[in-house]
Amino acid sequence: MTSHLPGAIGVSRLSVYDTTAPDGLHGGTPHMHLTCSEGYVVIAGEGRVQTLSGEGYRETPLQAGTVAWFRPGTIHRLVNDDGLQLVVLMQNSGLPEAGDAVLTFPVDTLGDPDAYRAAATLPAGADLAPAYRRRDLAVTGFLAMRAAGPGAFTEFCRAAAALVAPRLGDWRQRWETGALEVALETGRQLDALEKSDLTHLAGGGIEVLPQPTESGKHGMCGLLSTYIPEGDQ
């Protein structure tokens, strides 16, 4: 069986952006995942996560020791009040950082796939200015959506679903070979134990990623250090 992290999750360490967005707050890019849950384990600093969903708008404080998570359909924006650092847990082998994310750009950009792609794609290189411009455009759309009310959130969901539709086949393959396969393997192990078959226990052992697979990536909410096992590469 291909090796995955437990549960076929993705793990990253995130240092949240500390530059100023259009509303005067420091932090990341608001966005939504359509098929994946995501969780935060706060390891340093203080901040907040702003969320907008079918439950409405909420703001949740974050400090060292906090664990917070949210389901698909939750727009989220990290606010960095003081050195906020997280370990991020992502469903489906890290799919949220590998495609399952739609940024809250203004409606004219969301409705044009070419314009959306141009605004969302960062050029190669170490310059953070394009990441901040992308963040600022998404914050502008997020603030407008909040002000417009529930109908604007519903329209965003429709636009987001249309944008990701061409990629669903690739996402399904990632799920089938990752999270689904891991869950099915547990079922096979339970079946084996019920028959007193201990064969799978002979395959135990430890695997280690001593350092991040990739460091300093310009993520949506900050600088990412990602841990990617061979089975997810």
Side-chain angles (χ1 to χ4, degrees):
M1 181 178 174
T2 302
S3 177
H4 298 280
L5 285 163
I9 63 167
V11 176
S12 296
R13 179 166 176 159
L14 174 65
S15 296
V16 180
Y17 292 135
D18 59 3
T19 55
T20 307
D23 59 352
L25 299 178
H26 299 169
T29 307
H31 60 281
M32 172 193 283
H33 307 304
L34 283 77
T35 66
C36 296
S37 295
E38 182 174 332
Y40 299 148
V41 181
V42 183
I43 56 175
E46 294 183 351
R48 293 161 277 162
V49 58
Q50 298 179 338
T51 56
L52 184 62
S53 68
E55 297 178 340
Y57 175 73
R58 292 183 60 181
E59 189 166 285
T60 301
L62 301 174
Q63 59 186 4
T66 300
V67 174
W69 65 97
F70 37 84
R71 299 178 296 277
T74 306
I75 296 171
H76 48 287
R77 176 201 185 190
L78 281 168
V79 176
N80 185 354
D81 292 324
D82 183 15
L84 185 60
Q85 295 187 39
L86 317 169
V87 171
V88 183
L89 310 176
M90 295 167 286
Q91 196 176 3
N92 297 321
S93 306
L95 181 57
E97 283 290 345
D100 181 12
V102 175
L103 283 65
T104 58
F105 293 146
V107 292
D108 55 340
T109 304
L110 280 171
D112 183 336
D114 292 334
Y116 178 88
R117 190 178 307 109
T121 303
L122 298 180
D127 184 8
L128 278 168
Y132 297 151
R133 287 195 295 269
R134 181 177 70 174
R135 184 269 315 272
D136 292 351
L137 184 63
V139 168
T140 299
F142 176 65
L143 296 174
M145 192 189 320
R146 278 173 48 189
F153 173 77
T154 301
E155 288 304 313
F156 172 82
C157 291
R158 291 196 182 101
L163 283 168
V164 305
R167 310 183 69 178
L168 295 181
D170 292 337
W171 295 5
R172 181 175 293 276
Q173 182 179 22
R174 190 184 188 99
W175 165 69
E176 288 176 343
T177 59
L180 177 60
E181 176 58 26
V182 169
L184 291 175
E185 180 65 12
T186 300
R188 291 190 287 267
Q189 292 167 356
L190 290 169
D191 292 341
L193 290 173
E194 288 176 348
K195 300 173 184 175
S196 299
D197 178 356
L198 309 182
T199 304
H200 70 279
L201 298 181
I206 186 170
E207 299 184 43
V208 178
L209 293 172
Q211 295 295 329
T213 313
E214 184 178 15
S215 296
K217 179 181 177 182
H218 300 174
M220 287 171 285
C221 291
L223 294 177
L224 283 171
S225 295
T226 56
Y227 295 81
I228 307 174
E230 184 178 349
D232 293 332
Q233 294 180 16

